Amino acid sequence: MEYVRLQHADLTVPRIGLGTWAIGGWMWGGTDEQQAIDTIVSALERGISLIDTAPVYGFGRSEEIVGKALAAFGRRDEVVLATKLGLAWDDQGKVRRDSSPARIRQEIEDSLRRLGTDHIDLYQVHWPDGAVPFEETARALEDLRREGKIRALGVSNYSPEQMDAFRDAAPLATDQPPYNLFERGIEADVQPYCADKGIGIIAYGALCRGLLSGRMSTERSFQGDDLRQFDPKFKQPRFAQYLQAVERLEAYAREHYGKRVIHLALRWLIDQPGVATALWGARRPAQLDPVDEVMGWSLNSTDMQAIDAILAECVTDPVGPEFMAPPDNSAT
């Protein structure tokens, strides 16, 4: 495993981290609890020491499962535990943004209890809350850091302007935006900002919700509460365009590196400026097997140009991850 030290925090993180969106019964549908625990423990034993979760994943269930996995692993000091705050939900499961100091105080205690720990290594604001000044949220989090309940502060889905306001009140170690070969909107602003300010990017959606796994076909369907039912990329004619790109990238990876598209996609991501960690989603231990094939090599400028050409030729109607955003309080 490759590692990088964050500039604004006393944390060293692996280049691949485990994201638990699927483990809490959110995004891909329900999952078996023991299998989820086994997957987390397997990741930690492989050196994937950053575990990223959030209260809203499964409405608390994901954090509870992560807590059980940490207890089973037994070496809390070897884990970089990352969770989030700022999304509340009602009895019907309707989610709203809330990054008020009062909400933060409630959330930190709930998360510590569910996770079975006395501190969180990286505490991240899940989405910017337009109803609360960013400086106010930052000051509340800085208070928690000084109390020892968190080690470092992060944000997710923030713009450079929003990060500037946050940084006026507290040190900012990381930003967690969506970023992968197919969703590259942050390259216009967020990525150069983070690289310039020494803010580590923890990229989520590294495999674009499975599109870049190389395991999908046009016959694939999505049921129940699977988020991909609402993702425009998984609807025709875009779905066929993206799958054609995957096929071409697979051929390139095999010809030039003897790798698969899943390895190429993750290597591309962690070779990007400012990216500290790419978050990998897995529901079974065996799905972690490709991780070793991502380490120990890099893509060169010729590869990057060839990859861009493939995408431009295949995906004529690209679309971003905007569909995932919860309602913004500032717009109401």
Side-chain angles (χ1 to χ4, degrees):
M1 181 60 65
E2 301 169 14
Y3 297 88
V4 63
R5 190 172 186 83
L6 299 177
Q7 290 190 33
H8 301 295
D10 185 24
L11 291 177
T12 298
V13 297
R15 303 308 305 275
I16 300 291
L18 181 66
T20 65
W21 324 283
I23 286 173
W26 179 88
M27 187 173 277
W28 316 137
T31 191
D32 175 80
E33 179 174 298
Q34 189 57 53
Q35 180 174 266
I37 293 170
D38 292 344
T39 301
I40 297 169
V41 172
S42 178
L44 293 170
E45 290 173 344
R46 294 168 188 249
I48 302 176
S49 55
L50 188 149
I51 306 298
D52 179 83
T53 187
V56 76
Y57 303 159
F59 304 132
R61 184 166 181 248
S62 180
E63 284 191 331
E64 291 172 351
I65 291 174
V66 171
K68 292 178 181 179
L70 290 176
F73 182 63
R75 302 188 294 278
R76 172 66 181 88
D77 60 328
E78 297 179 12
V79 180
V80 178
L81 179 58
T83 192
K84 306 180 187 74
L85 66 116
L87 290 183
W89 60 88
D90 60 23
D91 293 340
Q92 285 73 47
K94 184 178 180 180
V95 176
R96 69 181 189 280
R97 307 186 195 196
D98 185 351
S99 296
S100 63
R103 174 69 185 173
I104 290 171
R105 281 287 170 182
Q106 175 188 336
E107 286 207 60
I108 186 70
E109 298 303 330
D110 289 343
S111 288
L112 290 172
R113 172 179 49 80
R114 286 190 291 254
L115 292 164
T117 187
D118 62 357
H119 72 281
I120 292 164
D121 297 292
L122 179 61
Y123 204 33
Q124 307 157 99
V125 186
H126 207 150
W127 284 86
D129 179 1
V132 180
F134 299 113
E135 298 89 342
E136 187 175 324
T137 297
R139 282 192 293 270
L141 292 173
E142 177 64 3
D143 287 344
L144 295 180
R145 189 182 71 85
R146 291 175 176 172
E147 293 170 19
K149 293 185 177 181
I150 60 178
R151 292 180 61 193
L153 283 56
V155 295
S156 182
N157 304 297
Y158 269 48
S159 70
E161 294 75 19
Q162 292 164 340
M163 285 187 274
D164 264 340
F166 188 101
R167 291 173 60 244
D168 283 342
L172 182 60
T174 63
D175 179 41
Q176 186 178 141
Y179 191 32
N180 55 65
L181 269 170
F182 291 151
E183 295 172 332
R184 298 171 61 174
I186 73 164
E187 292 177 353
D189 52 4
V190 169
Q191 182 188 30
Y193 176 89
C194 289
D196 180 63
K197 305 298 183 184
I199 298 169
I201 293 173
I202 297 179
Y204 74 82
L207 296 179
C208 199
R209 294 167 290 289
L211 259 180
L212 288 160
S213 68
R215 302 296 190 188
M216 287 193 179
S217 69
T218 54
E219 287 73 40
R220 180 71 179 271
S221 62
F222 307 98
Q223 309 297 327
D225 59 354
D226 194 314
L227 186 69
R228 289 169 289 191
Q229 290 190 90
F230 312 103
D231 187 339
K233 291 182 190 62
F234 294 86
K235 300 182 184 298
Q236 299 294 5
R238 285 192 179 102
F239 194 24
Q241 293 180 12
Y242 282 106
L243 289 179
Q244 182 186 23
V246 170
E247 184 178 347
R248 293 274 304 277
L249 292 168
E250 174 84 22
Y252 187 91
R254 289 189 182 279
E255 178 182 354
H256 293 272
Y257 289 98
K259 305 287 186 180
R260 292 170 39 215
V261 65
I262 190 172
H263 310 131
L264 181 78
L266 286 159
R267 190 69 243 180
W268 177 91
L269 184 53
I270 61 179
D271 281 346
Q272 299 305 307
V275 173
T277 299
L279 291 177
W280 177 298
R283 298 181 65 176
R284 301 182 300 277
Q287 291 177 327
L288 298 165
D289 290 345
V291 170
D292 289 342
E293 294 294 323
V294 179
M295 301 296 119
W297 59 288
S298 291
L299 296 167
N300 58 41
S301 60
T302 301
D303 295 323
M304 296 296 187
Q305 293 170 6
I307 288 168
D308 285 347
I310 290 171
L311 297 181
E313 291 170 12
C314 295
V315 185
T316 59
D317 188 21
V319 63
E322 295 82 7
F323 76 99
M324 291 193 293
D328 185 352
N329 299 341
S330 63
T332 59

